[in-house]
Amino acid sequence: MENKELKRPSFEATIDRKIKRRTFISFASFFALSGLGLGAWKWLYNSPEEISGITAGAHKPLRDALNTSEQVFKQVYSNTHLVKTYPKSMAATNVRVNGDIGLTDETFRVQDWQLEVEKEAGKLLTIGMEQLKKLPKTEIIYSFKCIEGWDQIQHWGGLRFSDFIQHFNLESQSKKAYVGMQTPDEQYYVGIDRESTLHPQTILAYEMNGYPIPVENGAPLRLIIPVKYGVKNLKRIGKITFSDTRPRDFWAEQGYDYYSGL
Ligand SMILES: Nc1nc2c(c(=O)[nH]1)N[C@H]1C(S)=C(S)[C@@H](COP(=O)(O)O)O[C@H]1N2
Ligand SMILES: [Mo]
């Protein structure tokens, strides 16, 4: 019989085992974490999509995250938070033009324009420019921001949206969660949370740099809403609606954030 000597493992052998164990742990963790990642991705991929009409069918968890940030922003940016304003001398004289969706109808005549307000389903109120100009004029010089990456200090004049609501007895309508606006040809349209429309710096503008707004910048009436990115500042307003559900929004339908707050 062989003499089985009780041998203590050599130093080298111990190191070798330790390395093997660590290698095993590394690989096991790698596979476990990969599995988690794949699972998370599958969970997101298989999660329900939102109704594609309003927000381009984002998967629900992503959309939920955006909607949660909307709630947070609404709390943080209450109507007491004012956007920074500048002296008139800083306003651009060469005002940028960006986007002409809803402005291409050849038959449109500024002189014949009237604003339509949907008081309730099928019941329209029509308002002429002279009526709007009777209300107190508010001017604002601020930094207009486009999500494409440019900004410019611009000077706009018009009436506060909140004054408009009061003057035309639209208080009950404006209790609804959203305001919708669209061009007369219905090619461009936005939906905005009521709080932002009632912000003291939100105006229905009819002047740019002290003169009637040029056609390409949204004549005769456009929205200037400094708490939002450019996309929500609809040019050439044709109709205003009120609703508790989100109105259609041109860029949200293309996948942009519906709230688009600054
Ligand atoms: N009717 C209409 N309004 C619109 C747009 C448009 O394409 N059509 N583009 C929006 C975008 S993305 C921006 S940045 C601003 C640009 O306004 P401006 O042309 O006066 O610079 O208008 C917004 N309002
Ligand atoms: Mo924009």
Side-chain angles (χ1 to χ4, degrees):
M1 268 205 26
E2 218 181 308
N3 182 14
K4 265 199 187 159
E5 211 185 319
L6 235 166
K7 260 207 275 176
R8 301 185 102 249
S10 70
F11 178 68
E12 285 75 16
T14 314
I15 292 290
D16 206 44
R17 260 209 319 279
K18 276 190 176 163
I19 290 176
K20 274 188 185 140
R21 196 170 68 230
R22 286 197 186 155
T23 310
F24 171 76
I25 289 170
S26 300
F27 273 100
S29 321
F30 172 76
F31 284 113
L33 288 173
S34 304
L36 269 181
L38 185 68
W41 183 78
K42 277 190 174 158
W43 167 75
L44 184 61
Y45 189 80
N46 295 321
S47 61
E49 288 180 16
E50 274 214 335
I51 307 157
S52 71
I54 299 292
T55 48
H59 284 283
K60 207 168 170 303
L62 287 181
R63 184 53 59 190
D64 283 350
L66 282 171
N67 289 352
T68 302
S69 74
E70 169 170 337
Q71 293 310 318
V72 172
F73 277 112
K74 272 189 191 170
Q75 306 299 319
V76 176
Y77 294 104
S78 68
N79 282 357
T80 54
H81 170 99
L82 292 183
V83 168
K84 184 175 160 60
T85 56
Y86 296 84
K88 237 176 233 179
S89 59
M90 283 181 76
T93 45
N94 211 340
V95 180
R96 284 191 74 142
V97 174
N98 201 52
D100 68 349
I101 307 161
L103 306 183
T104 55
D105 178 5
E106 307 264 319
T107 65
F108 179 78
R109 313 199 123 266
V110 169
Q111 316 86 272
D112 300 337
W113 172 91
Q114 281 196 308
L115 177 64
E116 290 185 339
V117 181
E118 196 179 77
K119 294 199 82 170
E120 49 194 88
K123 206 171 157 219
L124 287 183
L125 173 72
T126 33
I127 302 170
M129 186 55 82
E130 10 27 270
Q131 287 170 275
L132 296 175
K133 285 192 172 167
K134 278 190 196 135
L135 273 78
K137 184 157 85 182
T138 301
E139 292 183 61
I140 183 164
I141 297 124
Y142 78 106
S143 178
F144 184 103
K145 293 183 176 68
C146 170
I147 36 174
E148 285 168 36
W150 57 267
D151 54 76
Q152 187 177 52
I153 297 175
Q154 299 177 346
H155 173 195
W156 299 93
L159 57 144
R160 279 208 178 95
F161 191 77
S162 58
D163 287 349
F164 166 81
I165 293 295
Q166 260 194 355
H167 183 82
F168 294 98
N169 298 313
L170 297 163
E171 281 101 341
S172 64
Q173 283 80 358
S174 110
K175 285 205 178 77
K176 305 217 169 172
Y178 293 96
V179 175
M181 293 192 189
Q182 52 182 245
T183 53
D185 66 1
E186 299 178 11
Q187 294 302 298
Y188 197 82
Y189 37 89
V190 297
I192 303 170
D193 55 287
R194 73 178 286 274
E195 289 82 3
S196 299
T197 66
L198 298 175
H199 186 278
Q201 290 171 312
T202 299
I203 63 177
L204 295 175
Y206 48 78
E207 282 181 3
M208 186 184 92
N209 287 333
Y211 292 96
I213 298 177
V215 176
E216 59 275 18
N217 294 104
L221 190 77
R222 77 170 292 172
L223 180 66
I224 288 295
I225 182 159
V227 295
K228 299 284 186 192
Y229 275 106
V231 279
K232 296 281 186 183
N233 291 244
L234 186 131
K235 301 192 276 192
R236 194 187 285 181
I237 307 173
K239 190 172 170 184
I240 300 179
T241 59
F242 302 88
S243 56
D244 276 320
T245 53
R246 285 175 165 187
R248 288 181 71 199
D249 186 280
F250 187 89
W251 287 108
E253 285 173 4
Q254 309 300 312
Y256 283 78
D257 178 30
Y258 193 96
Y259 188 64
S260 285
L262 277 162

